[in-house]
Amino acid sequence: MADNIQSNGRDEPQKQRVLLEVKNLVKHFPVRSGLFQRVTDWVQAVDDVSFHIYEGETLGLVGESGCGKTTVGRTILNLVPATSGSVVFDDQNLFDMNAKQLKKMRRDMQIIFQDPYSSLDPRMPVGESIAEGLRIHTDKTAQERYDVVIEMLSRVGMRADHARRYPHEFSGGQRQRIGIARALSLRPKFIVCDEPVSALDVSIQAQVLNILRELQKDFGLTYLFIAHNLSVVEHFSDRVGVMYLGKMVEMSSQSDLYADPLHPYTQALMSAIPVPDPTLKRQRIILEGDVPSPLNPPSGCRFHTRCPLAFDKCAQEEPPFKDYGGEHYAACWLLETGEVGASKLTQAKLAG
Ligand code: SF4
């Protein structure tokens, strides 16, 4: 399927300007219990995550289910309030804004959800769903809103008469196209794509991704692309961040990450990607044990309970998230030795 996805068509992502900057983002969810629903614990969904996204690029965010990537996307958009940290979009701190300023900013920041069916109102014709944002955020007339709806439907490969139909009359792929049309109707600058193809058949995934790619070129969009399929992220992203248990453990350009992953967790994920050539064999790194609970994450490096290379220091101190050259960031104590990359160490250990 990945072969059918158009390449991003840019030899070099545009790196002139940072559109979005996330600094020390924290999101902890309270756990309530008992008669009075007192807070008894906290789920540490996202813990001290920092990164930036350049204007016009696609930043992929990957990790196992429950690693916090979706929470990062929703917290950035202020759909769930952050516990602490800051998000600067277009030179303005979103967390300092009042309701009126936030409403204005929402025009520029949209989301495409994983499940298009549950994100569309089943009692509303899809044309009205697409026009809803225009009605709330603009003073366009009904005719002007209708014109935008028809244009957006056409941009995602659908017909004008589809505007009168209801969500249940469409296939999953068509519903996701409608979700894209709705996100685009306000002509945003930035879109969080939250697992936009995970619920679709493999044959449909490439179509939807190609639409997203074409729209990015035509409208100059910037994407945060959240997914767990590493092959899709590889073909769709300019840079990629890897999350584990609420922490960013590695981030770099797509080419560097897939050619030379530095963090043992990234290497384990990469080793699970199927190789299309049956004559080639990749050494699979099997991680032992389950992902620990975010209610009580491990001390030090959160990956130490499953890492095949863990040593004493890993359980005691948290490794710094550092640039190891060419904007290739990672958080692993092995990289601090400066003698040999973690990938070589992993291979050596597995071979031994
Ligand atoms: Fe593994 Fe230690 Fe590196 Fe964490 S810091 S990834 S436990 S070697």
Side-chain angles (χ1 to χ4, degrees):
M1 192 278 294
D3 292 343
N4 297 329
I5 305 169
Q6 291 175 10
S7 78
N8 59 28
R10 301 186 300 270
D11 294 333
E12 283 292 320
Q14 296 172 3
K15 290 194 174 179
Q16 306 89 330
R17 179 170 178 260
V18 171
L19 181 68
L20 182 112
E21 177 143 38
V22 176
K23 275 193 193 157
N24 309 113
L25 188 69
V26 175
K27 178 62 194 175
H28 293 174
F29 291 100
V31 178
R32 296 175 191 276
S33 58
L35 186 61
F36 299 105
Q37 289 290 289
R38 289 210 175 92
V39 175
T40 53
D41 222 329
W42 293 89
V43 174
Q44 300 177 33
V46 175
D47 218 357
D48 200 14
V49 165
S50 299
F51 61 92
H52 55 265
I53 308 182
Y54 295 108
E55 191 165 39
E57 77 164 349
T58 299
L59 177 72
L61 205 50
V62 295
E64 288 164 294
S65 173
C67 70
K69 53 192 190 300
T70 288
T71 305
V72 166
R74 291 177 189 211
T75 311
I76 285 174
L77 297 181
N78 230 336
L79 296 177
V80 289
T83 304
S84 63
S86 69
V87 175
V88 176
F89 176 77
D90 228 358
D91 302 323
Q92 296 175 77
N93 190 339
L94 297 186
F95 297 167
D96 286 345
M97 290 182 175
N98 60 33
K100 196 176 166 193
Q101 290 167 318
L102 254 183
K103 186 181 170 195
K104 194 160 170 263
M105 189 57 81
R106 285 207 191 287
R107 290 186 56 160
D108 289 331
M109 306 177 81
Q110 294 289 315
I111 184 166
I112 297 167
F113 293 98
Q114 175 181 1
D115 180 358
Y117 196 55
S118 62
S119 63
L120 292 168
D121 187 337
R123 294 157 303 177
M124 197 184 266
V126 298
E128 281 185 37
S129 285
I130 296 169
E132 199 175 19
L134 295 166
R135 211 175 53 244
I136 295 168
H137 291 280
T138 72
D139 52 9
K140 286 184 186 299
T141 64
Q143 181 58 51
E144 286 168 338
R145 293 199 297 268
Y146 177 76
D147 291 343
V148 173
V149 168
I150 301 307
E151 187 200 343
M152 288 303 131
L153 281 174
S154 144
R155 290 307 306 251
V156 297
M158 299 188 69
R159 300 193 310 268
D161 63 287
H162 285 147
R164 292 194 300 274
R165 298 195 193 169
Y166 290 83
H168 72 268
E169 298 178 62
F170 296 99
S171 65
Q174 287 174 318
R175 282 198 288 263
Q176 193 53 291
R177 292 186 204 197
I178 293 162
I180 295 169
R182 189 171 61 162
L184 275 175
S185 65
L186 286 164
R187 295 291 174 96
K189 295 177 182 170
F190 171 69
I191 298 182
V192 172
C193 305
D194 187 5
E195 305 255 15
V197 295
S198 305
L200 304 179
D201 288 344
V202 173
S203 58
I204 306 297
Q205 290 184 8
Q207 285 176 19
V208 171
L209 290 170
N210 286 336
I211 287 171
L212 285 171
R213 177 64 68 207
E214 277 167 25
L215 293 168
Q216 182 174 40
K217 276 191 213 157
D218 294 348
F219 295 133
L221 295 166
T222 303
Y223 290 143
L224 175 63
F225 187 84
I226 298 166
H228 61 266
N229 185 326
L230 285 161
S231 303
V232 170
V233 170
E234 180 181 9
H235 289 269
F236 197 73
S237 307
D238 297 306
R239 290 187 304 133
V240 180
V242 182
M243 287 189 70
Y244 181 79
L245 207 56
K247 292 273 184 191
M248 193 75 78
V249 296
E250 185 160 2
M251 177 172 281
S252 79
S253 68
Q254 169 266 6
S255 51
D256 280 358
L257 192 90
Y258 283 77
D260 187 23
L262 296 179
H263 196 281
Y265 176 62
T266 315
Q267 291 161 29
L269 291 181
M270 298 287 176
S271 77
I273 299 176
V275 185
D277 183 346
T279 62
L280 289 176
K281 281 208 173 131
R282 180 181 271 155
Q283 189 163 30
R284 179 92 193 259
I285 303 170
I286 308 285
L287 294 176
E288 308 269 323
D290 295 326
V291 181
S293 167
L295 274 171
N296 187 20
S299 59
C301 172
R302 289 191 177 182
F303 187 51
H304 83 259
T305 53
R306 300 171 77 202
C307 179
L309 303 175
F311 54 104
D312 289 350
K313 189 175 186 179
C314 303
Q316 291 152 10
E317 290 179 55
E318 188 178 338
F321 188 64
K322 270 179 60 178
D323 185 356
Y324 287 94
E327 287 201 55
H328 194 149
Y329 294 84
C332 173
W333 284 121
L334 287 174
L335 298 167
E336 286 295 284
T337 65
E339 292 170 16
V340 60
S343 58
K344 291 181 186 141
L345 281 173
T346 306
Q347 285 155 16
K349 170 126 184 175
L350 288 167

